[in-house]
């Protein structure tokens, strides 16, 4: 069999290759040895024959235990994504599959494709919105913001500060599809509330197959307080200060927790902000079983917020509802599915969140 990671976002190291299997390792993020989680590679062999792969350093990854439990490896032969039989065996990730007619792509989570991002830009423009270039990354890639509706205190949504959390890209697609779909609810929403959406905060990290950081080893969601923040953060901060903001969502993926959840900023926001967040959460519970409010990170209202985190910085700056939205790599156990939390599910959630924000933020309420 053959194993290759020679494509954008591809990442694996081959240790040993046999006729029906391979021993592999996951390399650390370029620029940051402490992060090691992302993999994406192609396998090919005789169609119909089975193969067995061992990722032998799974237990040495940043969230090594997260490869077990409800998590299963994703695979696609160019059609839909499905999940392979995979499990943790003695600290190694064992993956079993069958070769397809064409190469089979295996990955930690399906990357959000560049051609779909182009389609989102087109949709945005066709529906009267603007694609604004905020700046360029150190490698020269565009940091773009999709603007829909009035840009006076819009809802700000950012995704993929952590490049391996690709479900955030699929989520944004659903959100933008809803807003540009021409439905009555979306039209009414955009008449009163604008949206400013950054689908990919860390395009350089995504392109090289980093899980957590930029190629310079920077975790963008720890850099919001810094005067000389990385360009990806500094241009976003500047654009937010210029437009103002009325609601903020920072979309992430969580390796371990098998739940969709929203994490509030640290500290205790004023009561009117908490009421708005409560209203949003209540609406989401009505809109989809792919949302819940019981499971989240530990939260202590007495903690002094670190402004290095996006949601804390935004809440400090604007005094508005500011949430980290976490989507699982494995599954949302509120509605377990053999396909886990697959891309179309992240997309559907994006549309539901747009609807939920509409109910909470529309002045007619
Ligand atoms: Zn994250």
């Amino acid at each position: 069999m053959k194993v290759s990671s020679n494509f954008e976002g591809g990442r694996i190291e081959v240790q040993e290759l046999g006729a029906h299997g391979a021993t592999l390792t996951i390399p650390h993020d370029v620029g940051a040895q402490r992060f090691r989680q992302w993999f994406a590679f192609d396998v090919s062999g005789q169609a119909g024959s089975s193969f067995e792969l061992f990722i032998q350093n799974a237990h040495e990854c940043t969230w090594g235990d997260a490869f077990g439990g409800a998590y299963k490896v994703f695979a696609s032969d160019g059609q839909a994504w499905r999940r392979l039989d995979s499990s943790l065996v003695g600290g190694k990730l064992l993956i079993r599959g069958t070769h397809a007619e064409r190469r089979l792509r295996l990955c930690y989570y399906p990357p959000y494709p560049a051609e779909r991002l182009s389609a989102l830009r087109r949709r945005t423009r066709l529906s009267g919105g603007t694609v604004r270039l905020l700046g360029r990354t150190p490698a020269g890639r565009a940091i773009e913001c999709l603007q829909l509706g009035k840009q006076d205190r819009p809802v700000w949504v950012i995704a993929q500060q952590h490049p391996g959390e690709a479900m955030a890209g699929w989520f944004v697609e659903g959100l933008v599809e809803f807003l540009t779909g021409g439905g009555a609810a979306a039209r009414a929403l955009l008449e009163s509330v604008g949206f400013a959406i950054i689908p990919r905060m860390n395009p350089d990290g995504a392109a090289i197959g980093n899980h957590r950081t930029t190629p310079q080893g920077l975790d963008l969601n720890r850099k919001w307080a810094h005067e000389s923040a990385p360009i990806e953060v500094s241009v976003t901060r500047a654009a937010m200060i210029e437009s103002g903001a009325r609601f903020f969502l920072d979309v992430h993926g969580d390796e371990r927790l098998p739940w969709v959840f929203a994490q509030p900023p640290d500290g205790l926001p004023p009561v009117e902000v908490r009421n708005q967040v409560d209203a949003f959460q209540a609406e989401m519970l009505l809109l989809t079983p792919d949302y819940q409010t019981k499971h989240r990170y530990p939260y202590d209202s007495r903690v002094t917020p670190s402004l290095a985190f996006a949601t804390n910085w935004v809440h400090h700056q604007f005094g508005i509802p500011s949430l980290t939205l976490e989507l699982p790599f494995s599954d949302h156990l509120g509605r377990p599915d053999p396909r886990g939390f697959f891309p179309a599910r992240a997309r559907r959630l994006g549309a539901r969140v747009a609807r939920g924000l509409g109910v909470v933020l529309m002045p007619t309420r």
Side-chain angles (χ1 to χ4, degrees):
M1 67 181 290
K2 281 190 198 142
V3 176
S4 156
S5 58
N6 190 20
F7 54 87
E8 187 163 297
R11 185 70 80 84
I12 200 70
E13 280 166 350
V14 178
Q15 302 300 335
E16 237 185 274
L17 202 55
H20 304 288
T23 304
L24 310 167
T25 47
I26 298 174
H28 63 71
D29 275 16
V30 172
Q33 295 198 9
R34 68 190 190 284
F35 293 113
R36 183 193 299 272
Q37 192 81 10
W38 177 259
F39 62 86
F41 56 91
D42 291 344
V43 298
S44 52
Q46 196 191 355
S49 68
S50 57
F51 62 82
E52 238 181 42
L53 306 170
F54 274 102
I55 298 186
Q56 68 177 10
N57 67 342
H59 63 290
E60 289 167 2
C61 289
T62 314
W63 298 274
D65 57 333
F67 293 126
Y71 177 77
K72 302 289 169 201
V73 170
F74 281 92
S76 171
D77 62 356
Q79 309 296 315
W81 288 97
R82 58 196 173 81
R83 303 197 93 151
L84 289 183
D85 173 18
S86 67
S87 54
L88 275 179
V89 179
K92 296 174 185 167
L93 179 59
L94 168 63
I95 308 166
R96 289 201 178 97
T98 306
H99 288 298
E101 290 291 338
R102 294 186 288 167
R103 60 113 187 104
L104 200 59
R105 181 154 296 177
L106 274 61
C107 58
Y108 186 35
Y109 197 90
Y112 187 67
E115 56 274 20
R116 293 185 84 117
L117 189 53
S118 298
L120 281 194
R121 288 190 201 102
R122 240 181 352 262
R123 274 190 90 110
T124 299
R125 292 194 185 101
L126 282 173
S127 66
T130 305
V131 180
R132 184 177 168 199
L133 179 69
L134 299 182
R136 291 201 175 268
T137 64
R141 292 190 179 83
I143 306 161
E144 287 178 328
C145 181
L146 311 181
Q147 299 177 320
L148 290 157
K150 285 191 294 259
Q151 294 299 300
D152 167 33
R153 294 188 67 229
V155 172
W156 273 89
V157 180
I158 67 171
Q160 279 191 287
Q161 291 202 78
H162 298 145
E165 294 163 13
M167 59 289 278
W170 296 95
F171 171 92
V172 160
E173 180 176 288
L175 183 92
V176 172
E177 277 179 348
F178 174 84
L179 292 173
T180 58
R187 285 205 313 274
L189 171 58
L190 284 175
E191 268 170 31
S192 50
V193 181
F195 279 76
I197 303 160
I198 303 184
R200 196 173 276 182
M201 279 282 290
N202 192 342
D204 287 356
I208 59 168
N210 265 12
H211 183 65
R212 184 80 173 191
T213 73
T214 67
Q216 295 75 37
L218 303 174
D219 181 340
L220 296 181
N221 200 28
R222 300 292 183 272
K223 297 290 175 193
W224 284 65
H226 296 232
E227 191 70 30
S228 59
I231 185 84
E232 295 89 342
V233 170
S234 65
V235 294
T236 303
R237 278 189 323 206
M240 292 184 81
I241 288 169
E242 185 189 321
S243 70
R246 71 178 67 200
F247 206 106
F248 178 65
L249 284 178
D250 182 11
V251 190
H252 286 256
D254 188 274
E255 294 80 5
R256 280 202 178 104
L257 293 181
W259 302 101
V260 171
F261 63 99
Q263 186 75 15
D266 297 313
L268 193 62
V271 66
E272 61 270 24
V273 170
R274 275 183 284 152
N275 287 344
Q276 256 190 324
V277 169
D278 289 348
F280 170 70
Q281 304 242 56
E283 193 56 35
M284 287 307 299
L285 291 174
L286 292 177
L287 283 170
T288 175
D290 275 354
Y291 196 84
Q292 58 82 44
T293 54
K294 287 192 189 76
H295 305 270
R296 63 179 185 189
Y297 302 135
Y299 170 70
D300 183 348
S301 63
R302 294 162 304 180
V303 165
T304 304
S306 160
L307 303 187
F309 291 77
T311 48
N312 288 344
W313 182 86
V314 167
H315 181 253
H316 176 81
Q317 184 75 29
F318 302 105
I320 58 165
S322 173
L323 298 171
T324 306
L325 186 66
E326 293 283 354
L327 316 179
F329 278 84
S330 54
D331 200 358
H332 171 73
L333 296 187
R335 176 163 59 172
D337 189 293
R339 294 164 295 172
F341 197 76
F342 54 98
R345 216 169 149 186
R347 202 169 79 220
R348 279 206 296 272
L349 185 70
R352 294 288 190 283
V353 163
R355 197 179 277 276
L357 286 171
V359 173
V360 175
L361 298 177
M362 296 257 288
T364 47
R365 187 179 161 84

